[in-house]
Amino acid sequence: MLQMKPNCWSEHGELEAVMICPPAKVDIPTLKVAEDVQWSAPVQQQKAMNNFLELQNAFLDAGVEVLDYSKELSEEDQLLSKQLLNRFFVRDLACVFGNTILPGDPTIFMREPEYVQAHGVLQSWFGSSFIPPAKVGIHALENGDVLVLNQNAVFINAGLRTSMESVEILKQHIFQAGFSEVAVISVPRRGDTLHLDMNCNVANEDLIIAMEFMRHFPVRVMTEQGDRYEMVPTFLQRHGFEVYWLTEYNSVPDINYFNIDPETILLSKQAHKQMLKKHPKLARKKYIEIDVTELEKAGGGIRCMTLPLRRK
């Protein structure tokens, strides 16, 4: 068991520990194969591994403790894990809510083995701080659909990969973890809007970047006392967030960035950094650009590749 305890009450606090996983040890040789496994293009494993090492080194250079769950697997499980194409998308597998880790549940069968393997490792690392899937009882919940806004509120998308039924179950555990509100949206169910973090992301303690269409969507705000509805801007502003609405964007590199600390954003070299810097609250941020081009062919970005375990 690790000596650390999980601790995450936001998406922007100073990162102390993160879980990541390298890509599979196989190439995706042709466009036909890539399309069949729902990737956008062929992938060379060595290039993908170089992308991963650049991501890992960015965290190490920032003084962050980096944990690779695949290293904790048995020899037999490692043989399987090295062939799982999407295993580096660790964000989906679980989420830290305060001092509690709650598991995700995969929507597609192809990803089930990595969830089972990672959950076993999280259980061994964190003991009772990790609530196992059998005790949560969810069906279809990928944590790319989850944003921990602050100590009061969690924002979840019930969409293509996360069911409303799972959100209804999960909310009780989130309340028990110390949060008072769970707001649910349902964004368009398309590949380019697959998860919530492909549509919006926290960029500062008081700023969220979001696709412009989201201003027209309602959210269902759930509390232990009951439910009500608000529009997205009203909900976010009530929790202290200004929204920087984007009219033009490439959703994976531009929105799926990652906050290392309140002053530093880790983002793809393909991101339109100057567009982000147009906002006065982002102009003086430190931007660390890394090349994850090969890994982005899987349809996700840097945030998808990270599971924060501790933030100050």
Side-chain angles (χ1 to χ4, degrees):
M1 186 177 295
L2 292 177
Q3 296 303 307
M4 76 169 71
K5 295 290 185 182
N7 186 68
C8 284
W9 297 91
S10 77
E11 301 285 345
H12 61 271
E14 182 179 346
L15 185 69
E16 295 182 310
V18 66
M19 188 177 89
I20 57 177
C21 182
K25 302 290 186 181
V26 295
D27 292 338
I28 298 178
T30 66
L31 179 59
K32 179 64 169 64
V33 173
E35 290 174 343
D36 286 342
V37 298
Q38 298 183 41
W39 287 41
S40 65
V43 169
Q44 295 181 36
Q45 194 279 330
Q46 188 56 58
K47 285 185 177 180
M49 189 63 188
N50 290 341
N51 282 184
F52 170 78
L53 293 174
E54 196 166 338
L55 174 69
Q56 178 177 261
N57 288 336
F59 288 126
L60 293 174
D61 290 346
V64 175
E65 183 171 358
V66 176
L67 301 174
D68 174 358
Y69 83 83
S70 68
K71 292 181 178 179
E72 305 298 319
L73 300 174
S74 68
E75 184 175 343
E76 180 181 1
D77 282 343
Q78 285 196 33
L79 289 174
L80 171 61
S81 178
K82 290 175 182 178
Q83 301 174 75
L84 300 175
L85 294 180
N86 298 297
R87 69 173 186 165
F88 63 95
F89 284 150
V90 296
R91 173 72 62 157
D92 297 328
L93 307 178
C95 184
V96 179
F97 296 93
N99 305 125
T100 301
I101 306 178
L102 295 174
D105 183 77
T107 306
I108 58 173
F109 180 82
M110 186 178 183
R111 297 201 62 188
E112 285 188 8
E114 68 204 72
Y115 278 72
V116 172
Q117 291 181 343
H119 292 165
V121 173
L122 288 169
Q123 181 81 70
S124 68
W125 279 348
F126 294 104
S128 61
S129 295
F130 175 75
I131 311 300
K135 288 190 176 181
V136 179
I138 56 174
H139 298 284
L141 190 143
E142 297 182 358
N143 284 286
D145 276 322
V146 178
L147 292 176
V148 178
L149 298 181
N150 54 37
Q151 292 188 342
N152 296 315
V154 173
F155 195 16
I156 302 179
N157 173 50
L160 196 61
R161 293 293 181 86
T162 294
S163 69
M164 188 64 210
E165 292 76 13
S166 289
V167 176
E168 291 277 9
I169 294 169
L170 192 72
K171 71 177 183 182
Q172 299 301 332
H173 296 277
I174 294 174
F175 295 150
Q176 290 171 14
F179 297 84
S180 57
E181 291 187 8
V182 175
V184 184
I185 190 173
S186 185
V187 301
R189 301 187 178 200
R190 305 190 308 261
D192 63 329
T193 55
L194 183 69
H195 287 140
L196 184 61
D197 63 10
M198 295 173 67
N199 299 269
C200 69
N201 200 352
V202 176
N204 201 49
E205 63 180 356
D206 56 359
L207 181 69
I208 282 178
I209 294 177
M211 295 182 181
E212 188 177 36
F213 77 83
M214 289 182 64
R215 69 164 75 236
H216 303 294
F217 276 59
V219 293
R220 178 180 167 190
V221 181
M222 301 185 292
T223 70
E224 292 186 279
Q225 290 72 44
D227 299 355
R228 67 180 183 278
Y229 289 88
E230 295 177 345
M231 299 303 289
V232 166
T234 303
F235 165 71
L236 294 175
Q237 289 165 13
R238 187 165 55 78
H239 284 284
F241 290 97
E242 177 188 351
V243 184
Y244 180 18
W245 301 106
L246 299 185
T247 57
E248 297 182 8
Y249 43 78
N250 184 344
S251 62
V252 170
D254 290 341
I255 297 177
N256 204 257
Y257 51 80
F258 184 85
N259 296 286
I260 291 183
D261 58 47
E263 290 78 38
T264 310
I265 290 178
L266 183 63
L267 79 171
S268 167
K269 282 188 175 179
Q270 297 193 91
H272 295 89
K273 185 176 67 173
Q274 294 306 316
M275 176 187 66
L276 300 181
K277 294 180 74 171
K278 286 181 180 179
H279 194 285
K281 291 181 178 177
L282 300 178
R284 296 187 179 182
K285 289 269 190 179
K286 178 182 178 182
Y287 294 90
I288 300 175
E289 299 177 79
I290 61 172
D291 184 3
V292 286
T293 306
E294 204 74 2
L295 295 175
E296 287 175 330
K297 293 176 181 178
I302 291 174
R303 187 180 190 273
C304 298
M305 304 172 198
T306 59
L307 173 56
L309 298 173
R310 285 192 59 87
R311 288 188 184 273
K312 286 185 180 178

